[in-house]
């Protein structure tokens, strides 16, 4: 079994295509197919189901996958550890950010990191918090900005960097606008306009409603908070937003603090409990922790 074969196998699994895997690895497709076939012959098992429109793992392939990732990670870690011993940080930083998150200047952090460690290749992806947590746990990500609500994920180090109150934003003529706050129970039957699941604001809302014994009546979702303001401004529902964002649109909407209970939207920097998957990941955590306040 060769490392190259494991690299090709992992690329095919992640791309679900021999063609895309070959393009990613900068080799011809027949070469990828041939190496995978050699690996299957050596193991005596078919690893990939090639019959459908997308390549899928067989049971044997699913069994091999975590071991292949661990083997490649170990080799990469050994190489990077030697670089680190020599005072160098190079390789790759794989970072994730939760959908619709803009409260922390992540672009500035990455730019500062790039200026300090120009040899490191930076990869950034956006996803839901559940997907990001899974990526941190299985080694696909070094660090991520995740939404947490009130519950922090097990098996990860976390540093809360955003902790904001949630408000219900309504048009001035809405009956709720007469007060300065609104009880969560009073939103039970109102159409709500929210960020998608997995974001900080939505996690806080869903957790609070679950504790209160009901499911929020979410009729509209949008990944862009500005779109939530547009929809609520047309009287289409109550927008649930972080307080700072609602205040910035005070001319169009009235922001009412949600009480009984008060709800918080929290975002945390997260990384594996042992340490990030690479020296580059550790260097980014050190930079972020030095720059970002702990809440």
């Amino acid at each position: 079994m060769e490392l190259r074969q494991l690299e090709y196998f992992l690329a095919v699994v992640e791309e679900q295509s021999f063609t895309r895997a070959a393009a990613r690895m900068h080799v011809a497709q027949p070469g990828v197919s041939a190496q995978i076939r050699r690996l299957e012959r050596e193991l005596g098992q078919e690893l990939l189901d090639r019959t459908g429109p997308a390549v899928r793992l067989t049971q044997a392939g699913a069994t091999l996958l975590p071991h292949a990732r661990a083997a490649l990670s170990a080799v990469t870690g050994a190489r990077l550890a030697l670089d680190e011993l020599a005072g160098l940080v190079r390789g790759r930083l794989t970072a994730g950010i939760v959908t619709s998150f803009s409260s922390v200047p992540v672009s500035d952090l990455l730019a500062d990191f790039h200026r300090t460690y120009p040899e490191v290749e930076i990869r950034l992806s956006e996803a839901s918090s559940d997907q990001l947590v899974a990526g941190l746990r299985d080694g696909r990500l070094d660090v991520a900005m995740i939404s947490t609500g009130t519950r922090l994920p097990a098996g990860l180090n976390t540093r809360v960097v955003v902790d904001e109150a949630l408000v219900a934003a309504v048009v001035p003529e809405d009956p709720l606008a007469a007060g300065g706050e609104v009880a969560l129970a009073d939103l039970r039957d109102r159409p709500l306009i929210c960020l998608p699941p997995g974001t900080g604001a939505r996690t806080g809302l869903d957790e609070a409603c679950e504790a209160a014994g009901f499911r929020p009546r979410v009729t509209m979702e949008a990944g862009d908070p500005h779109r939530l303001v547009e929809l609520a401004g047309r009287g289409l529902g109550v927008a649930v937003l972080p307080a700072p964002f609602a205040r910035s649109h005070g001319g169009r909407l009235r922001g009412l603090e949600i009480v009984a209970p008060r709800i918080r939207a929290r975002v945390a920097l997260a990384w594996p409990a042992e340490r990030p998957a690479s020296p580059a990941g550790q260097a980014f955590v050190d930079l972020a922790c030095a720059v970002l306040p702990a809440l």
Side-chain angles (χ1 to χ4, degrees):
M1 189 183 306
E2 299 178 6
L3 290 175
R4 179 176 55 181
Q5 294 170 341
L6 295 180
E7 289 173 342
Y8 289 174
F9 168 68
L10 187 58
V12 172
V13 170
E14 292 179 348
E15 299 293 339
Q16 297 185 335
S17 162
F18 281 89
T19 301
R20 291 193 295 271
R24 168 173 151 181
M25 302 300 295
H26 305 290
V27 296
Q29 180 180 332
V32 173
S33 299
Q35 290 297 330
I36 297 295
R37 286 295 187 192
R38 286 183 58 187
L39 179 61
E40 289 177 322
R41 285 197 298 271
E42 183 170 344
L43 296 175
Q45 304 252 19
E46 282 201 355
L47 303 174
L48 299 169
D49 180 354
R50 303 161 172 83
T51 59
V55 179
R56 304 291 183 186
L57 284 167
T58 63
Q59 184 175 358
T63 301
L64 175 64
L65 181 60
H67 299 287
R69 282 186 170 138
L72 293 173
S73 177
V75 172
T76 300
R79 290 170 178 162
L80 293 174
L82 293 175
D83 282 345
E84 188 178 29
L85 184 64
L88 303 173
V89 175
R90 59 181 61 181
R92 178 183 299 164
L93 172 71
T94 54
I97 184 171
V98 66
T99 304
S100 306
F101 175 59
S102 60
S103 299
V104 171
V106 174
S107 298
D108 292 343
L109 274 175
L110 292 174
D112 289 345
F113 181 83
H114 177 66
R115 282 191 291 270
T116 305
Y117 304 106
E119 297 297 321
V120 174
E121 176 189 355
I122 301 173
R123 291 192 175 182
L124 178 67
S125 58
E126 183 178 283
S128 70
S129 285
D130 289 345
Q131 293 170 318
L132 297 176
V133 168
L136 290 168
R137 286 174 174 160
D138 67 19
R140 287 179 290 118
L141 293 175
D142 296 316
V143 295
M145 290 286 185
I146 64 170
S147 63
T148 65
T150 58
R151 296 190 285 263
L152 296 173
L156 300 177
N157 289 320
T158 54
R159 182 186 180 95
V160 176
V161 296
V162 174
D163 189 349
E164 300 170 331
L166 285 186
V167 301
V170 297
V171 292
E173 56 269 24
D174 190 292
L176 292 177
E181 57 187 31
V182 60
L184 179 64
D186 292 335
L187 300 177
R188 179 171 188 157
D189 297 321
R190 293 293 301 268
L192 302 182
I193 304 171
C194 302
L195 292 168
T199 56
R202 183 62 177 274
T203 300
L205 175 68
D206 288 345
E207 285 185 0
C209 291
E210 180 183 358
F214 70 92
R215 179 176 296 179
R217 185 186 165 203
V218 177
T219 57
M220 296 186 182
E221 294 178 349
D224 182 357
H226 295 279
R227 182 60 54 84
L228 303 186
V229 170
E230 286 183 18
L231 295 170
R234 300 295 182 91
L236 294 172
V238 179
V240 179
L241 297 165
F245 191 86
R247 283 196 297 268
S248 68
H249 292 80
R252 300 181 61 185
L253 297 171
R254 299 281 176 82
L256 311 172
E257 185 175 0
I258 301 173
V259 297
R262 300 181 189 278
I263 309 176
R264 312 292 297 185
R266 301 201 301 170
V267 174
L269 175 70
W271 64 98
E274 294 297 322
R275 59 165 293 164
S278 69
Q282 183 64 55
F284 182 83
V285 168
D286 293 342
L287 171 65
C289 288
V291 173
L292 300 175
L295 302 177

